[in-house]
Amino acid sequence: MSDYFSLHQDKIINSTIVLVVFFVLQLIIGIIVRAIGKSKKIFTSRAKIVARYFSVSLFLITLLIIAFIFGVNIDDLVVVFSSVFAVIGLALFASWSILSNVTSGIILFFSFPYKIGDKIKIHDKELEITAIIEDIRSFQIHLRTDNGNLVTYPNNMLLQKAVTLIEKDAFDK
């Protein structure tokens, strides 16, 4: 066992450094996302979801770097990743709207000018919706209409339609 550690000491030290950098970056990204959420007065639960997306992406990159450190052949990784991406691609093609809504949810977190409690009007040819934003989730936004109905509207559609702010912080009134 000690022979293994002495033989692979450099790889173990480099992997440890990569893991420490991973945890530090994860902490920094979490702090930045929470700070952005706080500055835009976004609920912490939304900030945690977005931070989790970044953490998973960073974790996958870390695994890739550690694989390179331990000398995994690039050709082997290409085969593994192409197989995995083929399966994921088929799954996401079958549920393309889910991926689109998750991506839109991340975009809404950073650039959506309205927040929970604002009364908005969504201009759609088929259906114009005037409602108060009740919750913004990963896949959809929850809107409460004046007559009390709950409308769930997909995030990707919200980015495609014109939205007008009618009243700021309608919950507070």
Side-chain angles (χ1 to χ4, degrees):
M1 189 72 161
S2 65
D3 291 338
Y4 177 80
F5 286 119
S6 63
L7 185 63
H8 298 291
Q9 184 177 4
D10 292 340
K11 294 176 184 176
I12 293 171
I13 291 171
N14 289 339
S15 297
T16 305
I17 291 170
V18 168
L19 287 174
V20 168
V21 168
F22 163 73
F23 287 117
V24 169
L25 283 176
Q26 186 178 9
L27 181 67
I28 290 170
I29 288 172
I31 290 170
I32 290 171
V33 169
R34 280 193 298 273
I36 290 171
K38 191 177 280 188
S39 71
K40 292 186 173 192
K41 298 178 183 171
I42 296 172
F43 284 130
T44 56
S45 60
R46 284 192 58 219
K48 286 179 183 177
I49 290 172
V50 172
R52 190 173 304 137
Y53 291 152
F54 282 110
S55 292
V56 168
S57 300
L58 188 62
F59 178 72
L60 293 175
I61 292 169
T62 302
L63 284 180
L64 184 64
I65 293 170
I66 290 175
F68 282 129
I69 289 172
F70 276 93
V72 174
N73 193 355
I74 294 175
D75 294 337
D76 296 338
L77 280 178
V78 168
V79 170
V80 169
F81 276 107
S82 64
S83 301
V84 168
F85 283 129
V87 171
I88 290 173
L90 288 173
L92 292 178
F93 182 75
S95 58
W96 182 256
S97 64
I98 292 175
L99 179 63
S100 174
N101 283 320
V102 169
T103 306
S104 299
I106 293 171
I107 292 169
L108 288 176
F109 177 80
F110 288 107
S111 66
F112 195 54
Y114 315 117
K115 63 181 192 317
I116 294 174
D118 291 348
K119 188 170 189 176
I120 61 170
K121 182 175 187 176
I122 301 172
H123 305 280
D124 193 350
K125 287 182 185 177
E126 299 166 4
L127 175 69
E128 287 207 6
I129 300 171
T130 302
I132 296 172
I133 299 174
E134 196 170 271
D135 195 6
I136 302 173
R137 299 201 173 185
S138 295
F139 300 106
Q140 74 273 350
I141 184 170
H142 289 185
L143 304 168
R144 184 71 63 183
T145 61
D146 292 335
N147 61 5
N149 291 336
L150 178 67
V151 176
T152 57
Y153 200 77
N155 286 339
N156 63 347
M157 295 300 294
L158 193 65
L159 289 178
Q160 296 173 12
K161 305 297 179 186
V163 179
T164 304
L165 177 66
I166 295 177
E167 186 179 339
K168 204 144 187 65
D169 290 326
F171 280 150
D172 294 339
K173 298 188 177 183

